[in-house]
Amino acid sequence: MSPPSLIDTHPNLSDTAPVALSYELFPPRSPAAAETLWTTIRELETTAPDYVSVTYGASGSNRDTAVELINRLLLETTLRPLAHLTCVGNTPQELAGIIGELLDTGVRGILALRGDLPKDGAAPVAGSLRYAQDLIELIRRVEQRRSALLCAGKIAVGVAAYPTRHPESPSEAHDVEVLLAKQRSGADFAITQVFFHTDQYADLLTRARRAGVTIPIIPGVMPLTSLRRVRRLGELTGVEPAPELLERLASADNDLERLRIGVDATVDLANAALLAGAPGIHIYTFNEHQSALELLDKLALPRRTHSGIRPDAAARQLAS
């Protein structure tokens, strides 16, 4: 028996407004990792996501590998890549060249990020961009110069949003002001960082809308199946994960039990966000498909393929 869909349980979601679905991938670091990644890619492709974001290391340390992965996604799959791009440590000239390279490969979506500051306290490169909104404006200038090549189309520009205070920010209110500045610079949508409590996405949405942010804000969720990973993300975000989740993961007897515990916790976060009005779900996969597919199956999102059949149902038909 199929699980009830969100349409059945939540009347505010309807067939006329399917929920967007996307995943995050990162470039492989070895041939073995590449083989695992491509198994994941083929599995995720059966769910017909709207796009997949492709990240890269600090300061673009593996940008060539990321571009190679993007090229393969465009040539060998039906997936649409959203390319991460950071600006710290790069001049406008360098970034314009990178943007042009991405557009030449066929990329039509960019996630514009500031990027991590140098950990050694080194001064920024002379003339380099410092903020995400500067990068957004640069992308729009490159877009304008290449409008004929883009057939007068538009690059979709995404940005990061923070459900809780950014570790370097003085306040949550300041974070919302930064998000509003990104919107004014030309951002089309935002994806949130990971959050651990069901009320945090709704709180962000309320604060952002009151401040004048109108772009879609998509909750980013991670299957909380790894105790080490959850703790590490808690350190990075400055937000303490729910103690009961940590206790349950720590006391689990095996990976299968941890998978069930983590997926159920993530389902609660995603459903709370959807009830608050989230237009989609972005899943941080860590290049692993099992937990992402378990999460998707339990969410039973209202989605349609071009044939009118839900992607998960279509995949089951092909497998039968």
Side-chain angles (χ1 to χ4, degrees):
M1 182 176 180
S2 299
S5 72
L6 283 165
I7 294 174
D8 300 322
T9 55
H10 307 311
N12 60 313
L13 295 172
S14 69
D15 284 336
T16 59
V19 174
L21 171 66
S22 56
Y23 303 105
E24 180 180 280
L25 304 171
F26 57 82
R29 298 184 177 93
S30 68
E35 184 175 347
T36 300
L37 170 61
W38 276 92
T39 298
T40 288
I41 287 171
R42 293 306 182 189
E43 291 288 340
L44 297 181
E45 189 177 16
T46 66
T47 68
D50 295 281
Y51 60 90
V52 292
S53 69
V54 178
T55 185
Y56 57 81
S59 301
S61 55
N62 58 345
R63 184 177 292 123
D64 290 345
T65 313
V67 172
E68 180 183 349
L69 174 57
I70 288 169
N71 270 318
R72 287 195 64 186
L73 289 172
L74 287 165
L75 292 172
E76 301 176 26
T77 77
T78 60
L79 300 173
R80 288 177 286 189
L82 174 73
H84 288 219
L85 185 59
T86 61
C87 61
V88 166
N90 290 283
T91 66
Q93 293 77 17
E94 292 168 336
L95 288 165
I98 295 167
I99 295 165
E101 179 184 4
L102 291 172
L103 296 182
D104 288 342
T105 66
V107 168
R108 293 298 180 265
I110 296 176
L111 190 65
L113 307 167
R114 186 199 67 176
D116 296 330
L117 297 174
K119 297 189 187 317
D120 56 7
V125 176
S128 63
L129 298 186
R130 298 180 58 191
Y131 301 109
Q133 51 261 49
D134 299 325
L135 177 56
I136 298 164
E137 291 168 4
L138 176 63
I139 293 169
R140 293 304 183 205
R141 291 197 297 272
V142 173
E143 174 187 64
Q144 188 175 31
R145 292 198 299 267
R146 299 168 69 95
S147 60
L149 293 174
L150 294 171
C151 300
K154 190 172 184 289
I155 302 167
V157 178
V159 295
Y162 298 89
T164 58
R165 183 182 65 83
H166 186 283
E168 299 172 21
S169 170
S171 67
E172 291 181 341
H174 179 265
D175 289 337
V176 170
E177 287 300 316
V178 171
L179 181 57
L180 184 60
K182 294 175 185 177
Q183 175 180 287
R184 289 169 176 159
S185 293
D188 296 302
F189 65 97
I191 299 173
T192 77
Q193 295 292 333
V194 170
F195 53 100
F196 298 109
H197 303 279
T198 54
D199 59 342
Q200 288 173 332
Y201 173 81
D203 288 348
L204 167 63
L205 201 62
T206 298
R207 289 184 280 109
R209 296 299 182 239
R210 286 175 178 170
V213 176
T214 59
I215 59 175
I217 301 175
I218 302 165
V221 298
M222 179 196 77
L224 304 170
T225 57
S226 164
L227 180 62
R228 178 189 59 80
R229 194 173 288 161
V230 170
R231 283 175 170 164
R232 178 59 179 155
L233 282 170
E235 293 171 2
L236 292 174
T237 60
V239 179
E240 184 66 29
E244 58 271 23
L245 173 63
L246 296 177
E247 291 171 7
R248 293 182 68 197
L249 288 173
S251 61
D253 293 328
N254 51 59
D255 289 342
L256 189 60
E257 187 177 354
R258 277 185 286 274
L259 175 68
R260 180 186 59 78
I261 292 168
V263 167
D264 286 348
T266 311
V267 166
D268 290 342
L269 293 174
N271 275 334
L274 290 165
L275 280 170
I281 296 292
H282 185 69
I283 303 175
Y284 296 103
T285 69
F286 284 86
N287 289 3
E288 299 167 0
H289 61 272
Q290 183 182 8
S291 57
L293 294 178
E294 289 274 353
L295 170 62
L296 192 60
D297 192 55
K298 289 195 173 188
L299 283 175
L301 300 177
R303 290 176 51 74
R304 295 290 180 265
T305 62
H306 293 302
S307 62
I309 302 174
R310 255 183 34 193
D312 56 344
R316 291 193 185 97
Q317 286 181 13
L318 291 171
S320 62

